[in-house]
């Protein structure tokens, strides 16, 4: 069974959607993006048997939900940089450190929103967000106070404080009369997988996945509190909620744990669903990427496309349009910690490129969802290799401006890991 193949109660599929010309978003729509760090695709709404996220599961039932959604990359810096910049991280100006920084020379979509008078709000729960450059274009941008920074793990519990900051920022009376975009990236499912027994969440077991599941349940409770707050506000009736993640998580697949460094399905398949008041819920099985979110959010606010953004708006699909087949790209540039990886997903096929030399391996995700049996020759390989090479010619690679030889040869010096 492919990762996150749904055995949950079915929503209408894209094929059952009405064929009428898609409607437009309402003129007063707000957008709230809630991204959850390390949230895998195999969640309860996608058939995972343990009910670890009841509030997210309930919201997914009221949403347009993508069953084959991909993160832009396999770890936070690259995925969120691409999300904000509307481009592959390889195409953005950035340092070459693992904890990468993005200079103001990049255009981030919140800057476009703020330039049109839309209020922009954000708060985060990891010290890296102080230096990443993700604050570009936000009127309000805060970090949960008292966070301990460790460049090898995350020892903090932050959802209660984070949710409180989100409520405070969203309580601004100006939002009753001004459209807004808000983004909050919740961190608690991220390693370390800490106990929350004192918060009423009993352990599911002793394995890493058991402990991770308890972290998801803890985060879900606080997201539910935020959902209730949003619904209590006058503007809640015209606010879209986007749920997604920056990457998945490893529990021994391909001998790896945590995330980053590789782009296997368990590391890059993620949840993606969008609840828009008045929009008919359904599930869409066509592969999509969080690279599509920047142009989607611009269209939800009635703004024209930004020509430099390489994703494509999902708004027509929200309003009943038939999803078109198109390729999805996963991009992991070389950094101080990892070699280059890139993948192209086309239908059931996923071709992966390894290293600067881009050695290629093809996988049939229907027949081999765990990616254990690479295809290295044959007609299917040749066709996908040709497709990948043609795509690669369209990428405008931007070399990192820092990290020097470490970025060029993939070596890692721990003392230079953090910017």
């Amino acid at each position: 069974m492919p990762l996150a193949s749904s055995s949950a109660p079915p929503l209408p599929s894209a094929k059952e959607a009405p064929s009428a010309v898609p409607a437009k978003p309402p003129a007063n729509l707000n957008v709230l993006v809630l991204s959850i760090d390390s949230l895998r695709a195999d969640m309860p709404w996608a058939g995972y048997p343990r009910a670890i996220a009841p509030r997210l599961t309930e919201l997914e039932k009221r949403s347009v939900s993508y069953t084959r959604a991909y993160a832009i990359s396999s770890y936070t810096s690259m995925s969120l940089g691409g999300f904000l910049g509307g481009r592959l991280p390889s195409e953005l100006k950035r340092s070459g450190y693992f904890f990468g920084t993005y200079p103001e020379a990049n255009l981030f979509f919140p800057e476009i929103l703020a330039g049109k008078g839309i209020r922009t709000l954000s708060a985060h729960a990891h010290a890296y967000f102080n230096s990443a450059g993700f604050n570009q274009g936000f009127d309000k941008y805060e970090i949960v106070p008292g966070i301990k920074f460790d460049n090898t793990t995350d020892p903090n519990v932050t959802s209660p404080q984070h949710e409180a900051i989100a409520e405070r920022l969203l309580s601004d009376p100006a939002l009753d009369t001004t459209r807004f975009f808000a983004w909050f990236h919740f961190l608690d499912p991220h390693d370390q997988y800490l106990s929350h027994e004192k918060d009423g969440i009993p352990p599911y077991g002793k394995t890493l996945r058991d402990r991770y599941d308890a972290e998801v349940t803890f985060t879900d409770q606080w997201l539910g509190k935020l959902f209730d707050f949003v619904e209590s506000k006058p503007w809640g009736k015209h606010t879209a909620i986007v749920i997604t993640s920056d990457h998945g998580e490893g529990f021994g697949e391909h001998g790896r744990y945590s995330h980053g460094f590789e782009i296997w399905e368990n590391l890059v398949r993620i949840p993606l669903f969008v609840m828009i008041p008045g929009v008919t819920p359904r599930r869409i099985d066509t592969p999509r990427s969080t690279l599509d979110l920047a142009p989607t959010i611009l269209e939800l606010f009635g703004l024209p496309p930004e020509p430099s953004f390489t994703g494509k708006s999902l708004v027509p699909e929200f309003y009943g349009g038939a999803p078109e087949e198109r390729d999805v790209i996963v991009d992991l540039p070389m950094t101080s910690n990892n070699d280059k990886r890139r993948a192209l997903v086309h239908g059931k096929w996923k071709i992966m490129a390894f290293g600067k030399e881009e050695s290629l391996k093809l996988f049939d995700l229907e027949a081999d969802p765990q990616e254990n049996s690479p295809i290295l020759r044959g007609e299917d390989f040749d066709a996908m290799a040709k497709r990948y090479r043609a795509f690669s010619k369209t990428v405008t690679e931007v070399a990192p401006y820092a990290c020097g030889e470490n970025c060029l040869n993939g070596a890692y010096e721990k003392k230079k890991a953090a910017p």
Side-chain angles (χ1 to χ4, degrees):
M1 179 182 291
L3 181 68
S5 177
S6 178
S7 61
L11 294 176
S13 70
K15 294 179 181 178
E16 298 168 331
S19 58
V21 176
K24 294 182 179 180
N28 62 347
L29 190 70
N30 306 305
V31 178
L32 169 61
V33 173
L34 299 173
S35 49
I36 301 99
D37 205 286
S38 308
L39 197 65
R40 287 171 57 111
D42 54 351
M43 288 290 122
W45 56 89
Y48 187 62
R50 183 179 279 166
I52 58 175
R55 296 304 305 269
L56 286 170
T57 300
E58 189 278 330
L59 188 69
E60 192 270 347
K61 292 178 181 178
R62 298 191 281 129
S63 302
V64 177
S65 183
Y66 291 88
T67 65
R68 292 188 65 194
Y70 283 85
I72 296 169
S73 193
S74 62
Y75 81 97
T76 302
S77 177
M78 295 298 174
S79 278
L80 297 186
F83 158 64
L84 293 167
R87 310 186 75 178
L88 298 177
S90 288
E91 298 182 305
L92 295 171
K93 295 179 177 65
R94 65 198 186 282
S95 75
Y97 296 110
F98 186 79
F99 289 98
T101 57
Y102 293 83
E104 293 183 358
N106 293 301
L107 174 65
F108 283 179
F109 77 83
E111 298 177 85
I112 299 174
L113 300 180
K116 297 297 183 180
I118 296 162
R119 190 78 168 156
T120 53
L121 312 167
S122 193
H124 300 287
H126 194 286
Y128 165 63
F129 287 77
N130 270 319
S131 60
F134 295 160
N135 60 316
Q136 290 177 215
F138 284 102
D139 298 313
K140 294 285 186 180
Y141 185 92
E142 297 188 19
I143 306 295
V144 172
I147 291 174
K148 177 183 178 182
F149 179 69
D150 184 331
N151 66 0
T152 63
T153 186
D154 179 15
N156 304 285
V157 176
T158 53
S159 289
Q161 307 97 301
H162 199 172
E163 193 279 335
I165 293 173
E167 282 199 27
R168 173 168 54 78
L169 292 178
L170 293 171
S171 295
D172 185 346
L175 302 186
D176 293 338
T177 56
T178 302
R179 297 181 77 186
F180 70 85
F181 166 74
W183 171 43
F184 306 106
H185 183 74
F186 280 73
L187 254 295
D188 280 320
H190 189 283
D191 173 63
Q192 303 171 12
Y193 313 128
L194 301 173
S195 170
H196 297 287
E197 289 188 73
K198 63 181 179 60
D199 299 294
I201 300 173
Y204 291 113
K206 296 181 179 180
T207 71
L208 288 177
R209 182 64 200 253
D210 292 334
R211 291 161 54 194
Y212 166 88
D213 285 355
E215 286 268 58
V216 172
T217 301
F218 177 73
T219 307
D220 180 81
Q221 287 187 354
W222 290 99
L223 289 169
K225 187 174 186 299
L226 186 56
F227 297 160
D228 293 340
F229 171 81
V230 170
E231 291 186 3
S232 75
K233 303 298 289 184
W235 43 257
K237 296 179 176 61
H238 50 88
T239 296
I241 300 178
V242 180
I243 300 293
T244 190
S245 184
D246 51 349
H247 51 77
E249 191 77 335
F251 293 106
E253 301 93 336
H254 296 274
R256 305 194 70 89
Y257 294 85
S258 191
H259 50 267
F261 312 115
E262 300 290 351
I263 52 174
W264 303 113
E265 289 285 278
N266 63 293
L267 301 179
V268 297
R269 286 281 303 280
I270 56 168
L272 174 61
F273 54 88
V274 183
M275 192 286 295
I276 305 177
V279 168
T280 302
R282 62 172 173 154
R283 292 194 176 111
I284 294 176
D285 299 325
T286 308
R288 290 291 182 258
S289 168
T290 49
L291 191 66
D292 298 322
L293 287 178
T296 297
I297 292 166
L298 291 184
E299 186 169 357
L300 287 173
F301 281 105
L303 300 178
E306 164 52 45
S308 67
F309 291 173
T310 52
K312 190 169 183 179
S313 174
L314 304 175
V315 169
E317 298 171 5
F318 297 163
Y319 288 89
E324 64 176 7
E325 295 288 341
R326 60 177 185 262
D327 296 341
V328 164
I329 305 299
V330 179
D331 184 47
L332 178 61
M334 183 179 288
T335 74
S336 58
N337 292 51
N338 62 266
D339 203 354
K340 178 181 177 180
R341 299 284 187 267
R342 187 176 287 157
L344 182 149
V345 177
H346 176 73
K348 71 173 186 175
W349 300 107
K350 177 182 178 182
I351 193 162
M352 297 174 64
F354 296 82
K356 290 190 293 183
E357 297 77 14
E358 295 198 319
S359 173
L360 298 178
K361 294 181 180 180
L362 178 66
F363 296 91
D364 180 342
L365 296 177
E366 289 184 0
D368 179 28
Q370 304 304 319
E371 300 167 289
N372 292 323
S373 303
I375 300 168
L376 303 177
R377 61 182 62 84
E379 292 184 4
D380 293 325
F381 177 88
D382 292 342
M384 283 296 293
K386 181 178 180 181
R387 193 175 195 93
Y388 178 82
R389 299 298 186 201
F391 164 77
S392 291
K393 293 178 181 178
T394 70
V395 178
T396 304
E397 301 272 358
V398 176
Y401 63 79
C403 193
E405 290 299 316
N406 292 315
C407 296
L408 296 178
N409 62 27
Y412 170 55
E413 291 183 345
K414 186 173 182 180
K415 65 181 181 180
K416 294 185 177 180

